[in-house]
Structure formats: C-alpha cells, structure tokens
Amino acid sequence: MHRCRYRFSATSADGNFHCEILIRPDDAAELEEARRFNERRGQPCARHGGNLHGEHGIGFGKMRSLRKELGEAVDLMASLKRAVDPENLMNPGKVVDT
C-alpha cells in the first residue's frame, strides 16, 4: 500500500513529464517510500539514454543519481561552482559538494 500521494503531469510540447511526491516530512515511512520511488523512476530513463533532470533545480532527490547519470561531468560542475561561489553561499549542500 502506498502511503505517499503522487501527482503526474506532462508537457506535450517538449516531451517532459513531471512528478510530485506529496509527503509529510516528519513521517519516516513516507520519506523512505519517496526515496525508493525516486530511485526507481530514473532507471527506465537511463536504460534508454535519457535522464531525470531538475527543470527548476536538482533538489535533494536527484543528487544521489547525478553522478550515475552524468559521470565525470559532475566534477566539472563542482569546479565551476567553486569558481563562481568560492564561499559556497549559493545553495549550500545542493547539487554538488564543493
């Protein structure tokens, strides 16, 4: 039985679909279900050469799979982030560790 609620929508113009996982952040079971779902949903994309992206930001859920999807490009992202934001003031703890 699913504890979380899911909302899906699509953008037909560019082929994107969006998924929102609605959880209560203080519910450990819901957090775990959302984490498992988020990991599973990227697998078919990767098998077909695609990826999940964060259109409006990567967020914490995507961070775990970023290296798997993009490989060494994540190192380039981190070096660019350090160059632009050496004090790590912008979105600390997100996207790439700097």
Side-chain angles (χ1 to χ4, degrees):
M1 180 174 111
H2 297 291
R3 296 174 54 97
C4 301
R5 294 181 350 166
Y6 302 89
R7 185 181 82 112
F8 294 90
S9 59
T11 309
S12 59
D14 58 10
N16 288 324
F17 80 91
H18 307 273
C19 171
E20 292 181 68
I21 307 170
L22 307 174
I23 63 167
R24 292 174 293 196
D26 60 340
D27 186 321
E30 286 188 9
L31 282 170
E32 178 60 21
E33 179 183 329
R35 185 194 62 75
R36 284 193 318 268
F37 174 81
N38 201 44
E39 288 177 5
R40 283 193 319 267
R41 73 184 177 133
Q43 294 168 0
C45 295
R47 280 196 304 271
H48 296 285
N51 68 356
L52 295 175
H53 66 86
E55 184 173 312
H56 302 287
I58 296 301
F60 293 110
K62 171 76 179 191
M63 287 171 54
R64 288 187 180 121
S65 63
L66 197 61
R67 185 165 294 279
K68 188 185 316 181
E69 290 182 17
L70 302 178
E72 293 179 10
V74 176
D75 297 328
L76 176 61
M77 291 175 176
S79 64
L80 291 171
K81 169 78 161 86
R82 282 190 297 274
V84 173
D85 182 20
E87 295 183 36
N88 199 28
L89 299 175
M90 296 183 288
N91 290 323
K94 287 196 174 179
V95 185
V96 292
D97 293 326
T98 54

